[in-house]
Amino acid sequence: RDFTVKIDQEVYDNEHEAGKIINQTPAAGDKLEKGKTIYVTVSKGKATGPVLMPDFTQNWEATQAKRNLNNLSMNLQIIELEEYHDTVAQGYVIRTEPEAQTELKVGQKIKLYISKGLEVKTSVMPNVVGDKKDSALKILDSQGLGLDIIVEDIFDSTVPEGDVVRTEPATGEELITGQQVKVFISKGAEKKKL
């Protein structure tokens, strides 16, 4: 085999006998590079004692988490709530109420918070031309868009050293979450060699 299989967690599941794989990351059908690891969740079979809330925060798709909860045969009321998340992929569980390892009761309400992915926000590129570098960077950061800011130093004979010459995108253009923004800072006039 060109991959490793590791057990991520074991959970009770009334539909699958003990030892059966009931979830895996990456999912079946996804491409996997040679030498990488497949993490699996294995059934412990039917619960004989108290049933604890599984940990669905480790790369569980919402559909798999719901299937697992339904397979506990405890008539759980599953409520799905969607919210944006910066790091959890769309369709995957962010967190649960109750939390993992909490004892479950028959008919209990379970809240699954499911990622809608990264929230894409928009704004307008502020005018920072002529501002000092630090001031310009603070203004761009305050947009709350997690911009990828690249600073480039260029020669410019009309703009004082340390001030913003121009930006890409230009003032007034639309900005979106995570967008790359280039800020060109003056190094002053280029010294001519005699």
Side-chain angles (χ1 to χ4, degrees), residues 29-89:
D30 286 356
K31 291 195 177 192
L32 185 69
E33 294 176 30
K34 284 185 179 181
K36 293 293 182 183
T37 302
I38 298 173
Y39 295 92
V40 297
T41 301
V42 178
S43 173
K44 293 199 282 188
K46 290 186 179 196
T48 53
V51 178
L52 302 180
M53 179 70 175
D55 183 0
F56 293 125
T57 62
Q58 304 298 316
N59 286 320
W60 276 77
E61 286 187 77
T63 52
Q64 284 292 115
K66 286 190 324 191
R67 186 177 307 128
N68 182 265
L69 289 169
N70 287 326
N71 288 349
L72 294 174
S73 300
M74 294 182 66
N75 199 27
L76 299 169
Q77 297 177 46
I78 303 167
I79 301 162
E80 293 181 61
L81 302 164
E82 292 187 321
E83 57 187 42
Y84 292 107
H85 200 276
D86 292 345
T87 58
V88 177

Side-chain angles (χ1 to χ4, degrees), residues 10 15 42 61-62 80 100 121 146 154 173 175-177 194:
E10 295 179 280
E15 300 298 315
V42 178
E61 286 187 77
E80 293 181 61
K121 299 176 191 169
I154 61 171
E173 290 186 26
L175 292 175
I176 62 168
T177 302
L194 300 174

